[in-house]
Amino acid sequence: NAIFPVGLIAAVPTVSPAFLITPTGFGTVYEFYQVVDGAVGVRLINRDLMMGIGYRPWIGDVLDADRLLLEDVTTFTMQKAGDIIKIQICVENNNFLGEGRYSVCKEKVVF
């Protein structure tokens, strides 16, 4: 397990709740935050879902989506309602393993 320093403490984010190592001993942490200097963006280009990392839109950087995540995407939507984000992805192929057309959609809600 990796240990990520945060000031005078370190937490293991893969354990839930994470165990906390402090100068005075062990404890439990229920929330864990890290500061980053770049963002990750996802963009649908033609029918390819692409990802770009390390860009900073707050200083005017433009997303350079150069990593392929998924091909043959027909729908990619993200909707925000309060503190909830709904993500929907649909994929379609006209000749899946020689059997003909298929279409699959997946929806996730992030709280």
Side-chain angles (χ1 to χ4, degrees), residues 60-73:
D61 282 359
V62 177
L63 175 63
D64 180 21
D66 60 352
R67 291 172 171 85
L68 179 65
L69 293 178
L70 193 59
E71 297 176 325
D72 297 324
V73 177

Side-chain angles (χ1 to χ4, degrees), residues 7-21:
L8 296 175
I9 61 174
V12 182
T14 57
V15 180
S16 181
F19 294 103
L20 182 69
I21 304 168

Side-chain angles (χ1 to χ4, degrees), residues 4-88:
F4 302 94
V6 180
L8 296 175
I9 61 174
V12 182
T14 57
V15 180
S16 181
F19 294 103
L20 182 69
I21 304 168
T22 66
T24 59
F26 293 92
T28 305
V29 65
Y30 293 93
E31 292 188 25
F32 182 77
Y33 300 93
Q34 290 183 337
V35 178
V36 296
D37 66 347
V40 176
V42 179
R43 174 185 286 170
L44 187 60
I45 300 173
N46 297 322
R47 289 175 54 114
D48 294 334
L49 189 61
M50 306 291 287
M51 179 180 76
I53 61 171
Y55 85 109
R56 297 171 291 180
W58 51 88
I59 63 168
D61 282 359
V62 177
L63 175 63
D64 180 21
D66 60 352
R67 291 172 171 85
L68 179 65
L69 293 178
L70 193 59
E71 297 176 325
D72 297 324
V73 177
T74 57
T75 303
F76 173 67
T77 61
M78 295 180 79
Q79 298 174 343
K80 184 177 184 308
D83 293 336
I84 298 172
I85 298 173
K86 182 177 102 173
I87 304 167
Q88 181 186 38

